[in-house]
């Protein structure tokens, strides 16, 4: 994402944003903290494990959660996000969540996809990448999807239906094949009227 | 096929970032980079500690179960991925990522290859201590070697998928 070449540059204010940073490694948490403080965030909440993060989620309304995928103990970052989405703790269950991840184990790729995060950012983190992602998630206006096996932001970004060459998993997905017409064609005049609407003078 | 419920949600982050004041992207990046520069030495010290822990785990793995050794090595190596860039050692981060890739094969499919592990450890140490001296071409050569090792191990572990 780049700023406009001419005119005043847009500004983004993280001073009042309530942010939670979850990272088990002390140096990792320090890096995250320095990046967000450098962006202008005031004293982001910090947690080193899922239990502490849950405590903060229960007490404070948050605008953004940044969570490392590998946490200590039985609950990893993906489990934490999944818990958050199903927690019914409003408004935090709909809060924007960015997962940060170094290497992702092959066995966890599906878990990462299905946890309900808004964005997954690969390490190493750089300030440029992070601010771009923060602005991206701040601008997005995705609905949440709730179904049998997923609760989180709509993963279909562009409203182009299910992925190519798949039948689609949702009951309202249209079939791949376009069937025979079941109604007569519209008269050409009606089509023209739709394409070139004219003001009606009374 | 599942029934889908769509829920409109309010993006509270959007309202926060639109508040008057704030920073341009360039100002925000500069602010963060200045702060990261301040902790660069701490990051270098952390990298040395992690390398020592990795070496200890590889040399004395017997007091832990095999899965614990692999998980420990994987986590430590993943830590390097997150820190090395901040310490100005981006290529060391790439080598650590390659080590994670290698360890993931051992975790996922079993097996162990001491030579492949050793070559990664040597690569990591070299990229930590001699990074400037060996130059960009030298660093690229080390990484190329590590990537080739992992590619071969993956092919051996999963001949059909190679």
């Amino acid at each position: 994402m780049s700023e406009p070449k001419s005119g005043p540059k847009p500004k983004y204010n993280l001073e009042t944003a309530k942010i939670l940073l979850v990272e088990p490694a002390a140096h990792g948490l320090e890096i995250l903290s320095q990046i967000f403080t450098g962006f202008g965030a005031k004293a982001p909440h910090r947690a080193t494990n899922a239990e502490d993060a849950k405590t903060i989620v229960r007490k404070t309304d948050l605008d953004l959660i940044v969570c490392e995928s590998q946490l200590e103990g039985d609950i990893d970052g993906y489990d934490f996000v999944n818990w958050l989405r199903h927690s019914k703790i409003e408004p935090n269950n709909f809060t924007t969540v960015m997962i940060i991840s170094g290497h992702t184990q092959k066995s966890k790729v599906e878990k990462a996809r299905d946890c309900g995060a808004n964005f997954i950012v690969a390490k190493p983190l750089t300030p440029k990448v992070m601010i771009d992602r923060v602005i991206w998630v701040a601008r997005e206006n995705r609905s949440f999807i709730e179904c049998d096996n997923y609760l989180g932001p709509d993963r279909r970004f562009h409203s182009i239906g299910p992925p190519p060459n798949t039948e689609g998993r949702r009951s309202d997905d249209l079939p791949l094949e376009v069937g025979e017409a079941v109604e007569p064609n519209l008269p050409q005049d009606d089509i023209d009227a739709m394409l070139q609407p004219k003001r009606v003078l009374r | 096929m599942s029934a889908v419920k769509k829920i409109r949600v309010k993006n509270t982050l959007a309202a926060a970032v639109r508040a008057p004041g704030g920073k341009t992207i360039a100002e925000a990046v500069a602010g963060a980079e200045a702060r990261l520069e301040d902790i660069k030495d701490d990051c270098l010290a952390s990298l040395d500690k992690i390398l020592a822990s990795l070496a200890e785990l590889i040399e004395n793995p017997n007091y832990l179960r095999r899965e614990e050794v692999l998980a420990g090595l994987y986590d430590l190596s993943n830590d390097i991925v997150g820190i090395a860039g901040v310490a100005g050692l981006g290529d060391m981060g790439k080598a650590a990522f390659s080590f994670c890739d290698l360890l993931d094969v051992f975790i996922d499919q079993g097996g162990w290859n001491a030579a492949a592990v050793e070559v990664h450890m040597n690569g990591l140490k070299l990229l930590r201590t001699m990074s400037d001296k060996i130059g960009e071409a030298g660093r690229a050569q080390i990484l190329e070697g590590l990537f080739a090792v992992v590619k071969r191990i993956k092919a051996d572990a999963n001949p059909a998928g190679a």
Side-chain angles (χ1 to χ4, degrees):
Chain A
M1 189 178 298
S2 57
E3 293 181 346
K5 289 195 172 99
S6 61
K9 308 260 189 229
K11 292 191 171 191
Y12 304 95
N13 195 342
L14 286 174
E15 271 182 43
T16 58
K18 290 176 283 297
I19 300 170
L20 167 62
L21 308 174
V22 190
E23 161 71 64
H27 40 255
L29 188 55
E30 192 57 28
I31 288 169
L32 259 187
S33 206
Q34 295 301 335
I35 288 176
F36 276 89
T37 310
F39 291 165
K42 299 285 181 204
H45 297 275
R46 296 155 59 125
T48 56
N49 58 60
E51 285 312 313
D52 290 351
K54 285 180 181 180
T55 304
I56 295 168
V57 165
R58 288 188 182 103
K59 284 183 184 168
T60 314
D61 287 355
L62 297 161
D63 300 312
L64 173 67
I65 297 173
V66 183
C67 180
E68 158 65 43
S69 61
Q70 309 267 347
L71 300 178
E72 280 168 12
D74 295 334
I75 302 176
D76 64 21
Y78 310 122
D79 294 326
F80 167 69
V81 179
N82 194 40
W83 167 85
L84 175 77
R85 294 308 187 208
H86 289 89
S87 69
K88 299 193 186 330
I89 301 171
E90 290 196 26
N92 285 345
N93 55 339
F94 298 123
T95 294
T96 301
V97 179
M98 290 165 65
I99 289 267
I100 52 170
S101 178
H103 184 274
T104 302
Q105 283 180 263
K106 201 174 160 191
S107 59
K108 294 196 173 174
V109 171
E110 272 188 34
K111 201 174 175 184
R113 187 197 65 190
D114 295 339
C115 73
N118 295 66
F119 214 108
I120 296 183
V121 184
K123 288 181 178 178
L125 304 178
T126 66
K128 180 72 174 80
V129 167
M130 281 308 281
I131 194 71
D132 281 350
R133 299 297 176 263
V134 168
I135 293 167
W136 193 90
V137 291
R139 281 180 180 161
E140 75 169 358
N141 195 22
R142 279 189 280 167
S143 298
F144 263 51
I145 294 293
E146 184 176 13
C147 61
D148 296 344
N149 51 10
Y150 179 74
L151 175 53
D154 193 343
R155 291 172 293 188
R156 294 182 186 174
F157 283 40
H158 302 297
S159 302
I160 53 171
N165 304 317
T166 63
E167 285 190 7
R169 291 164 297 176
R170 299 182 186 173
S171 55
D172 57 353
D173 281 334
L174 296 172
L176 284 175
E177 299 296 328
V178 178
E180 293 296 319
V182 291
E183 290 175 14
N185 291 338
L186 279 176
Q188 190 60 47
D189 287 349
D190 288 357
I191 297 171
D192 291 346
M194 281 193 284
L195 295 173
Q196 295 174 320
K198 292 183 175 64
R199 198 168 158 198
V200 178
L201 297 172
R202 292 174 192 272
Chain B
M1 222 175 250
S2 53
V4 173
K5 185 177 160 193
K6 281 194 176 184
I7 308 163
R8 297 288 302 167
V9 298
K10 191 180 169 194
N11 186 342
T12 59
L13 180 65
V17 299
R18 279 198 301 264
K23 297 183 176 192
T24 63
I25 291 177
E27 288 166 350
V29 169
E33 281 176 347
R35 284 181 161 269
L36 291 179
E37 188 62 31
D38 288 345
I39 59 167
K40 193 173 170 181
D41 287 344
D42 293 341
C43 289
L44 284 169
S46 294
L47 286 174
D48 289 338
K49 277 186 197 165
I50 295 169
L51 277 179
S53 302
L54 276 172
E56 192 184 349
L57 209 48
I58 290 167
E59 285 159 20
N60 305 297
N62 297 331
Y63 59 93
L64 290 174
R65 287 186 297 127
R66 181 185 169 279
E67 306 87 67
E68 288 171 334
V69 172
L70 286 173
L73 292 173
Y74 181 87
D75 289 346
L76 288 166
S77 196
N78 221 349
D79 280 350
I80 295 177
V81 176
I83 306 170
V86 178
L89 297 171
D91 286 330
M92 187 187 180
K94 288 178 190 168
F97 193 92
S98 176
F99 198 18
C100 286
D101 242 356
L102 177 74
L103 293 162
D104 193 25
V105 177
F106 300 151
I107 292 168
D108 197 45
Q109 315 209 11
W112 175 261
N113 186 313
V117 171
E118 191 182 349
V119 82
H120 273 83
M121 276 305 291
N122 290 339
L124 286 169
K125 283 178 196 164
L126 211 55
L127 290 167
R128 163 66 187 100
T129 54
M130 308 276 284
S131 186
D132 288 338
K133 218 171 199 174
I134 57 179
E136 199 178 334
R139 294 195 297 271
Q141 209 174 346
I142 291 172
L143 290 176
E144 211 173 292
L146 298 181
F147 298 157
V149 167
V150 175
K151 195 175 171 187
R152 181 158 176 195
I153 296 283
K154 278 183 176 175
D156 288 349
N158 187 14

